[in-house]
Amino acid sequence: MTATAPDVVQGPTSLVPRHVAPDSCRFVHVDASHLYEHVAGDIDAARTAMVPTGVVALDDFRSEHTPGVAAATWEAVFLRGAGVSEHPEDVRHLG
């Protein structure tokens, strides 16, 4: 089995659907804007790209200087059923 390097999409979230097929990712890392509107869009794009058991990692969701990230993250948890854990052994999927 030959491993391949991941494809990195760097740019606005609007570019993601052009490069990433729906239900094709097991892991998505979001480290972009700290504005609520952008992060909410990033989470939506991650949900579309991920397989049902996929994991999304959100940077800065606990930082006091990035309230937009926290707001979008917790909105996804409480209103859209996303799971959050600070412990890798307890990670739950978005979906």
Side-chain angles (χ1 to χ4, degrees), residues 10-75:
Q10 184 176 354
T13 301
S14 60
L15 294 178
V16 173
R18 296 181 208 166
H19 299 277
V20 182
D23 299 317
S24 65
C25 296
R26 295 181 303 157
F27 177 78
V28 175
H29 178 235
V30 176
D31 184 8
S33 171
H34 294 142
L35 300 176
Y36 164 81
E37 295 83 4
H38 297 169
V39 178
D42 292 341
I43 291 171
D44 288 342
R47 289 180 69 136
T48 299
M50 287 190 325
V51 299
T53 56
V55 173
V56 63
L58 298 162
D59 229 34
D60 298 324
F61 88 95
R62 290 189 39 184
S63 298
E64 63 185 40
H65 69 281
T66 59
V69 178
T73 300
W74 290 113
E75 177 184 75

